[in-house]
Amino acid sequence: MAERFEEDALRAVGVRIDAEHPKGIIFDPHQPQLRVTDLGAVRGDGIFETMLVVSGGVRKFAPHLDRLRRSAEIIEIGLPPEESWRAAVELGLEEFRTRRGLPEEISVRLTATRGVDGEPASEDPRWSGTYWVLLTPVSESMQAARGKPISVMLLDRGYDSTASARAPWLMLSAKTLSYAVNMAAYRWAAKHGHDDVVFHTSDGQVLEAPTSTLLMLSHAEDGRPQLTTPTLRTGILPGTSQGAIFAAAQRKGWGLRYGPITPEQLRSAEHAWLISSVRLASPIRQIDEAQMQVSESYTQQLMEFLAEDLALTYPREV
Amino acid sequence: MAERFEEDALRAVGVRIDAEHPKGIIFDPHQPQLRVTDLGAVRGDGIFETMLVVSGGVRKFAPHLDRLRRSAEIIEIGLPPEESWRAAVELGLEEFRTRRGLPEEISVRLTATRGVDGEPASEDPRWSGTYWVLLTPVSESMQAARGKPISVMLLDRGYDSTASARAPWLMLSAKTLSYAVNMAAYRWAAKHGHDDVVFHTSDGQVLEAPTSTLLMLSHAEDGRPQLTTPTLRTGILPGTSQGAIFAAAQRKGWGLRYGPITPEQLRSAEHAWLISSVRLASPIRQIDEAQMQVSESYTQQLMEFLAEDLALTYPREV
């Protein structure tokens, strides 16, 4: 019984949204839900966002929704209104509460696809595709891994720094489902003994990691900490966690900078991290063969920035 | 009744294959079949092939299977043995026959995904993912479009010609499900009044179309027709239709060449086509603003090469 109890508590919850269910309808993610003709499955033709729920409060709901909307505009698919996504997330959380109490942390993934080829789900373009929310309790191993120093491998992303600007059809700044290259980069790094990847352009600018944002810290001449993250002009994703950290750090008087960054500058930073919504801040201890200094206190500070950022947190409605 | 009859005849047939059903099991593609946690749908993490069945005979079965296997090796997923794929295709064709007779032409798509994250479908790596075959009657509009002259737009693929060799994690020569960029390129071309796209590298070599292979024809000094297709060294997909055409043309004594091709050389070709398994040969009548000469007779000849290529055709077993 105890085992069964735990299993149920850890099971993911799915919520579909469509024109008939604008506030969402629960489904069991262990059962088939998608047709094989859904363009999300046929061609990775869709978009997603992953965010973190802590104690029933969704972190950075608005920035994630903004980025989802931006991705939808770039790939030109319809998207249900924000209140539907909010209602669907709330419905999923309520399902956990009803079942046996809310897990302390839940990872929430919003997905939107172009729908089934030639068969729009609705005449209304806002509902023409396939939309769902998947809520998965964050595993203990993931929680334990947070803040642990990592080794990263620099890998060429194949594009130069101007590709995004001159070739908008590459949609570099949309968060699409077409993530096969990101996954291949992870496998490549793992085979070479590293934990993660930092991509760089073919002309030598560091970009981002396959599923997180790069952040560097050094001290300005006046002694203030200064955070630097790669410029968005290369077409990398604007990081919602990086945005929340910048907002909190600014309130504290830290310096902030977006810039083109070379691998050499990255290695010369006092400290560097990979930042993402669920894994939070992972300090980089090694870049290829080069060692980096890890700061436990600054790592802790970044985690606190992400937790304190109430202005960007969607409050739990009970 | 007549309408119902026609609808049934045009409905697609799905065949899933797994360790318990190594010869396949029929499913209705109008019903959900995939979990939202399948990595094919989560991250475009899978591979596919599309081939053509004419009068019950599968064209180029072996080359498509070879390329599927090569894609599986590159992205490192398990793949059922060839006899399973063959049995599944046969089962799907038999379903059509039983239902109301085989349509003259059927498009057959083989798909393999990495399966559900953290839950391999089988301990046996050959069966660890999700595998299915989708058989769809070729529409009359698609059949009518064959051989029709098209206008193409040259678009930068963002990579230079050495990216594939120096960055294998980009998996340029695997036919993955991560096709969002290919679809975006189509939309871009359509908005600019073109029918299709020819990608080129950032350093000026023409590559391939989003879902077909580029083929050029000129005459050698001795008067023989000479076919040229872009070199595979840039990481483009080896075209199965281009391969079949080359094999047939060689038997006829034509010249054959793989080469780096510049946009200027493409525009200077006597004739050019986009070639693919279902659309066959589409003569290019315009490249950006430049007009091209269309040859009906050579287009017809290429179609015949594709039809005659018995050595590469999987014979119907009845």
Side-chain angles (χ1 to χ4, degrees):
Chain A
M1 273 298 282
E3 220 169 86
R4 168 86 192 155
F5 182 95
E6 196 170 11
E7 253 179 42
D8 261 20
L10 289 175
R11 275 172 87 95
V13 167
V15 184
R16 178 161 52 90
I17 50 182
D18 56 37
E20 282 71 49
H21 307 93
K23 293 180 172 178
I25 179 171
I26 298 280
F27 69 87
D28 176 0
H30 286 75
Q31 298 300 320
Q33 187 70 14
L34 296 173
R35 287 166 56 180
V36 297
T37 46
D38 193 291
L39 291 168
V42 174
R43 296 181 191 138
D45 201 0
I47 55 176
F48 74 102
E49 285 292 326
T50 306
M51 49 202 195
L52 183 65
V53 173
V54 181
S55 307
V58 184
R59 283 191 180 175
K60 305 187 268 96
F61 189 90
H64 281 290
L65 246 291
D66 286 350
R67 196 168 66 179
L68 190 72
R69 187 159 307 284
R70 190 161 161 267
S71 293
E73 284 164 8
I74 295 172
I75 83 161
E76 300 178 23
I77 64 169
L79 202 67
E82 178 166 337
E83 54 266 32
S84 276
W85 293 102
R86 282 187 188 272
V89 172
E90 270 310 316
L91 183 62
L93 294 177
E94 197 51 41
E95 173 73 9
F96 274 109
R97 283 188 202 106
T98 308
R99 206 191 269 174
R100 53 190 75 257
L102 208 55
E104 174 60 16
E105 293 195 8
I106 299 175
S107 152
V108 177
R109 193 188 205 250
L110 315 180
T111 307
T113 84
R114 200 178 298 278
V116 172
D117 208 357
E119 296 179 34
S122 165
E123 293 294 305
D124 183 338
R126 296 176 307 166
W127 302 99
S128 57
T130 308
Y131 313 102
W132 72 89
V133 174
L134 183 69
L135 301 95
T136 312
V138 177
S139 67
E140 282 182 18
S141 62
M142 163 62 85
Q143 293 184 45
R146 281 191 190 135
K148 289 281 188 306
I150 57 171
S151 172
V152 303
M153 188 172 191
L154 283 175
L155 289 183
D156 187 342
R157 188 61 189 79
Y159 302 119
D160 65 71
S161 56
T162 68
S164 177
R166 72 171 191 268
W169 48 86
L170 299 176
M171 306 188 305
L172 294 186
S173 55
K175 195 169 169 72
T176 78
L177 299 176
S178 287
Y179 255 43
V181 168
N182 287 328
M183 298 302 109
Y186 274 141
R187 289 194 298 276
W188 189 274
K191 261 180 229 161
H192 292 79
H194 296 276
D195 306 304
D196 211 314
V197 169
V198 171
F199 283 125
H200 64 84
T201 64
S202 57
D203 54 349
Q205 285 192 31
V206 294
L207 293 169
E208 61 193 340
T211 64
S212 47
T213 308
L214 180 68
L215 194 64
M216 295 155 52
L217 185 145
S218 292
H219 284 83
E221 285 182 12
D222 63 6
R224 286 187 312 159
Q226 163 138 344
L227 294 173
T228 304
T229 197
T231 172
L232 298 176
R233 283 198 298 273
T234 50
I236 62 173
L237 284 187
T240 59
S241 298
Q242 168 267 316
I245 287 172
F246 267 36
Q250 188 165 40
R251 287 195 291 271
K252 224 176 145 88
W254 290 19
L256 305 174
R257 200 175 78 85
Y258 289 86
I261 300 168
T262 65
E264 192 47 48
Q265 288 170 324
L266 169 58
R267 286 185 290 262
S268 307
E270 289 176 41
H271 310 293
W273 295 264
L274 295 185
I275 309 286
S276 63
S277 292
V278 176
R279 205 175 48 171
L280 306 181
S282 298
I284 299 176
R285 65 169 173 78
Q286 186 176 334
I287 300 172
D288 292 332
E289 301 310 311
Q291 303 301 312
M292 298 286 289
Q293 286 297 323
V294 166
S295 163
E296 277 188 34
S297 58
Y298 277 122
T299 301
Q300 193 53 39
Q301 174 68 263
L302 296 180
M303 303 268 206
E304 282 164 23
F305 283 162
L306 287 169
E308 93 181 27
D309 187 37
L310 300 173
L312 294 174
T313 299
Y314 169 53
R316 170 182 172 187
E317 290 172 12
V318 180
Chain B
M1 273 301 281
E3 217 169 88
R4 168 84 192 156
F5 182 95
E6 196 170 10
E7 252 178 41
D8 262 20
L10 289 174
R11 277 173 84 96
V13 167
V15 184
R16 179 161 50 91
I17 49 182
D18 56 38
E20 281 73 49
H21 307 92
K23 292 180 172 179
I25 178 169
I26 299 281
F27 69 87
D28 176 1
H30 287 75
Q31 297 300 321
Q33 187 70 14
L34 295 174
R35 287 168 56 180
V36 297
T37 44
D38 194 291
L39 291 167
V42 174
R43 296 181 190 139
D45 201 0
I47 55 176
F48 74 103
E49 284 292 325
T50 305
M51 49 201 197
L52 183 65
V53 173
V54 180
S55 307
V58 184
R59 284 193 179 173
K60 303 187 269 96
F61 190 90
H64 281 290
L65 246 290
D66 285 349
R67 196 168 64 177
L68 190 72
R69 188 160 308 283
R70 188 160 162 268
S71 293
E73 282 163 9
I74 295 173
I75 83 160
E76 299 177 24
I77 64 171
L79 201 67
E82 177 165 339
E83 55 266 32
S84 277
W85 293 101
R86 283 186 188 271
V89 171
E90 271 311 315
L91 183 62
L93 294 176
E94 196 51 42
E95 173 73 9
F96 274 108
R97 284 187 201 105
T98 308
R99 207 192 269 172
R100 54 192 72 256
L102 209 55
E104 174 59 17
E105 292 196 10
I106 299 176
S107 152
V108 177
R109 192 189 206 250
L110 315 180
T111 308
T113 84
R114 199 178 300 278
V116 172
D117 207 357
E119 295 179 35
S122 165
E123 293 294 306
D124 184 338
R126 296 175 307 163
W127 303 99
S128 58
T130 308
Y131 313 101
W132 72 90
V133 174
L134 183 69
L135 302 95
T136 312
V138 177
S139 67
E140 284 182 15
S141 61
M142 163 63 85
Q143 292 183 47
R146 280 191 191 134
K148 288 281 187 308
I150 57 171
S151 171
V152 302
M153 187 172 191
L154 283 175
L155 290 183
D156 186 341
R157 188 60 188 82
Y159 302 117
D160 65 70
S161 56
T162 67
S164 178
R166 72 170 190 270
W169 47 88
L170 300 177
M171 306 187 305
L172 295 185
S173 54
K175 196 169 170 71
T176 77
L177 299 176
S178 288
Y179 254 44
V181 167
N182 288 328
M183 299 301 109
Y186 274 142
R187 290 193 297 277
W188 189 274
K191 261 180 228 158
H192 291 79
H194 295 276
D195 305 305
D196 211 314
V197 169
V198 171
F199 283 125
H200 63 86
T201 63
S202 57
D203 54 349
Q205 284 192 31
V206 295
L207 293 170
E208 62 192 340
T211 63
S212 47
T213 308
L214 180 67
L215 194 64
M216 295 155 53
L217 184 145
S218 293
H219 284 82
E221 285 181 12
D222 63 5
R224 286 186 312 157
Q226 163 138 344
L227 293 174
T228 306
T229 197
T231 170
L232 298 176
R233 283 198 299 272
T234 51
I236 63 174
L237 285 187
T240 59
S241 297
Q242 168 267 316
I245 287 173
F246 267 35
Q250 188 164 40
R251 287 195 291 270
K252 224 177 146 86
W254 292 18
L256 306 173
R257 201 174 76 85
Y258 288 86
I261 300 169
T262 65
E264 193 47 46
Q265 289 170 324
L266 170 58
R267 286 186 290 260
S268 307
E270 289 177 40
H271 310 292
W273 294 264
L274 295 186
I275 308 286
S276 62
S277 294
V278 176
R279 205 174 48 171
L280 306 183
S282 298
I284 298 175
R285 64 170 173 80
Q286 185 176 334
I287 300 171
D288 293 332
E289 302 310 311
Q291 304 299 313
M292 298 286 288
Q293 286 296 323
V294 166
S295 162
E296 277 187 36
S297 58
Y298 277 123
T299 300
Q300 192 53 39
Q301 175 70 73
L302 296 181
M303 304 270 205
E304 282 165 24
F305 282 163
L306 287 170
E308 94 181 26
D309 186 36
L310 300 174
L312 295 174
T313 298
Y314 169 54
R316 170 181 172 188
E317 291 172 11
V318 180

